[in-house]
Structures are given as C-alpha cells and as structure tokens.
Amino acid sequence: MTAVELGIPRRLLEFTIDGESVRAPEGSTILDACRAAGKDVPTLCQGDTLTPKNACRVCVVEVEGSRTLVPACSRKAEPGMEVRTDTERARHSRKVVIELLASSVDLSTTPRIEEWIAEYDAKPDRFGPDAERLGEEPRVDNDLYVRDYDKCILCYKCVDACGDQWQNTFAIAVAGRGFDARIAVEHDAPLTDSACVYCGNCVEVCPTGALSFKSEFDMRAAGTWNEAAQTETTTVCAYCGVGCNLTLHVQDNEIVKVTSPHDNPVTHGNLCIKGRFGYQHVQNRD
C-alpha cells in the first residue's frame, strides 16, 4: 500500500466567488479557489510549479473594495473576500489583453487561445497589419530544442525555471527594453555557446510554443504533428537511480517528445538532458 503524505493541516478560509460561498485552504490563491469551484478563469503565464509573475494579466478578476482588477494567479484568498470573475470590467480587460497579445505575437501553438478569442469576442486584427511583431525566424542552433521568439509573450516562466526556482543554471534572462525586450542567453549568443545544460525545463513550462522540441518543430513544419493521434505513457527514467518520472508522447509508434508529471514529488515536472532528450535508444531498430 502506497503511503500518502498528509502534510501540515491548513485552516480553511471562507469567502465568495460570483456570489457562491466557497472554502479554500489558507495560502490558496484566488485562481486555485476558482479552479476548485469549477470556475474557468483564463491564464497564460501562471504555472503550477512556479511562483506567479503576474505577467500576462489575462486572469484578472474583481475583488470587492479593490480599486483595480487583481491577478487571480497571485492574489491570496482572504476570509470574507468577495470575488467576481465574470463582470463586464474583467471580461473587457481580458479581451483587450488577448487582442494586444494576439496582434503582436504568434499564438498559433498556444493551447485554448482560439477558444478564449471567441469567448471574449477579441479582434486582434483591429490593430491593422502594421502591429508590432518581432519578425524573426526561429532559432535552430542545436539538435534538441528550438527558440521561436515570434511566439514569446515574455511571461518569464522559462527564466524562473532556469534560475533560482528550479535549475539554478541562470543561462537565460530578459534582455533589452520596450519592443526590444526578449529572452536571451548571455550576449545573445547561440545556445551552444551559452551556459545552457539542455535540461529542457524551460520548454516544459513555456505556454505558447516559443520553446519546443526540435522533433515537434520539424513535424509541425512537415504538417505531420497530430496531438490527437498521440498516446501518453508515464514510466520511470532508466538512466540513474533518482527515479524521475517520464511521460512519453508517442505518435505512429515513435516517441516524439518527453515531459514529466508536475505532481510527481521527485521531479515536479523537471528533468535533466538525459531524461528529457535521451530517448532515441528506446526506438533504435538497428
């Protein structure tokens, strides 16, 4: 029988979301409580293994007594708080944010974005064809993963995953200011000349596909990438004795990429280069 770690009991807070009384453990964010209550609040920059950066502002909600809209991903729930997730003000703000992002960034590989554009009646095209875009070709400078800055929304998740929240490699950071801001390695060098250790944890947390497996990038370019036809199998990495869990994504009997379960107590979604990219030997048929 598997032992279940109970952890330290947390006091339950009582407050309301859209007029309904809810309870959430102390320390929960409004977004946590909304999801537990079945409220679908959109978000792009929030990650379940990272400290929120409040970067995308898509998850804003109204809180009684607050002058401004608040980001649900980072605002902690408080006793007696009155939260409204679907007001005209919150919906209008999400609509404008989605329009601005979709007009300046390629969101074609962002999960659920088309659904949210339709739900909030967002019209990114209203800014015209001259909306600011980076207009840069994808950077394919190694055999493992691709950087496509045209899809980057500067959510900082990759920076945090590479930095003090997980990997502690600090290979990437935000460089430049304003429209010139971008995620880059030191001196904006090729990835092969940087401190990158190719763990791929930045790829794991990227919400828009700005960072992607080279295998996925090539298959998308060839028109053969089909997530609906893929199966997922979780297993244990065989490279060492740590016990990292791997989720193998398989299409047409070939492993096309590897992720890791975020709720796994060993990895929390993180892997090393061997676990993330060293799967070729599994399907070597020579």
Side-chain angles (χ1 to χ4, degrees), residues 3 14 17 30 46 57 77 83 87 90 94 98 111 135 156 160 171 197 202 207 217 227 234 239 256 261 281:
E14 189 167 349
I17 299 178
I30 293 176
Q46 188 267 349
R57 314 302 282 192
V83 179
T87 64
R94 293 174 193 160
I98 291 172
Y156 305 99
D160 288 339
V197 296
C202 56
F217 178 82
E227 290 188 2
T234 298
Y239 274 105
V256 292
H281 70 286

Side-chain angles (χ1 to χ4, degrees), residues 49-286:
T49 63
L50 299 167
T51 301
K53 270 293 191 291
N54 311 324
C56 75
R57 314 302 282 192
V58 179
C59 69
V60 291
V61 296
E62 280 198 66
V63 173
E64 183 68 28
S66 177
R67 180 177 58 85
T68 62
L69 296 171
V70 302
C73 68
S74 62
R75 179 67 179 270
K76 299 294 185 182
E78 301 172 11
M81 177 182 278
E82 295 182 24
V83 179
R84 293 186 289 275
T85 67
D86 202 36
T87 64
E88 181 179 353
R89 185 183 181 195
R91 291 183 64 87
H92 179 72
S93 177
R94 293 174 193 160
K95 172 184 177 179
V96 172
V97 169
I98 291 172
E99 287 180 339
L100 290 170
L101 286 175
S103 68
S104 59
V105 179
D106 176 9
L107 298 180
S108 60
T109 53
T110 302
R112 298 193 64 188
I113 192 62
E114 292 299 329
E115 173 189 338
W116 293 334
I117 287 175
E119 179 180 351
Y120 295 101
D121 194 28
K123 296 179 172 59
D125 294 339
R126 71 186 180 93
F127 295 103
D130 297 326
E132 184 68 25
R133 279 185 181 268
L134 193 59
E136 181 179 308
E137 290 297 315
R139 296 194 180 191
V140 187
D141 53 13
N142 66 91
D143 294 330
L144 302 182
Y145 71 93
V146 176
R147 297 175 291 164
D148 188 350
Y149 289 134
D150 255 7
K151 296 179 179 179
C152 178
I153 62 170
L154 293 174
C155 67
Y156 305 99
K157 292 173 73 173
C158 60
V159 176
D160 288 339
C162 185
D164 59 2
Q165 292 197 34
W166 286 117
Q167 190 62 26
N168 286 290
T169 297
F170 300 96
I172 53 180
V174 179
R177 294 292 184 269
F179 284 124
D180 293 326
R182 67 175 64 199
I183 305 297
V185 300
E186 60 270 27
H187 308 298
D188 205 17
L191 206 62
T192 50
D193 296 334
S194 73
C196 177
V197 296
Y198 299 96
C199 63
N201 294 330
C202 56
V203 182
E204 178 77 34
V205 299
C206 181
T208 63
L211 303 172
S212 64
F213 276 72
K214 178 69 162 50
S215 54
E216 177 180 345
F217 178 82
D218 290 341
M219 291 177 69
R220 286 186 183 276
T224 58
W225 182 261
N226 184 5
E227 290 188 2
Q230 294 173 13
T231 60
E232 298 180 11
T233 302
T234 298
T235 184
V236 178
C237 182
Y239 274 105
C240 73
V242 172
C244 299
N245 277 22
L246 311 179
T247 299
L248 308 178
H249 299 249
V250 178
Q251 179 178 331
D252 297 329
N253 206 30
E254 296 282 343
I255 299 172
V256 292
K257 72 174 183 179
V258 175
T259 59
S260 181
H262 288 196
D263 60 354
N264 182 267
V266 176
T267 60
H268 299 285
N270 300 295
L271 296 170
C272 72
I273 182 175
K274 294 178 181 179
R276 182 87 59 190
F277 297 108
Y279 55 82
Q280 291 79 6
H281 70 286
V282 176
Q283 51 201 22
N284 187 343
R285 296 176 172 84
D286 293 339

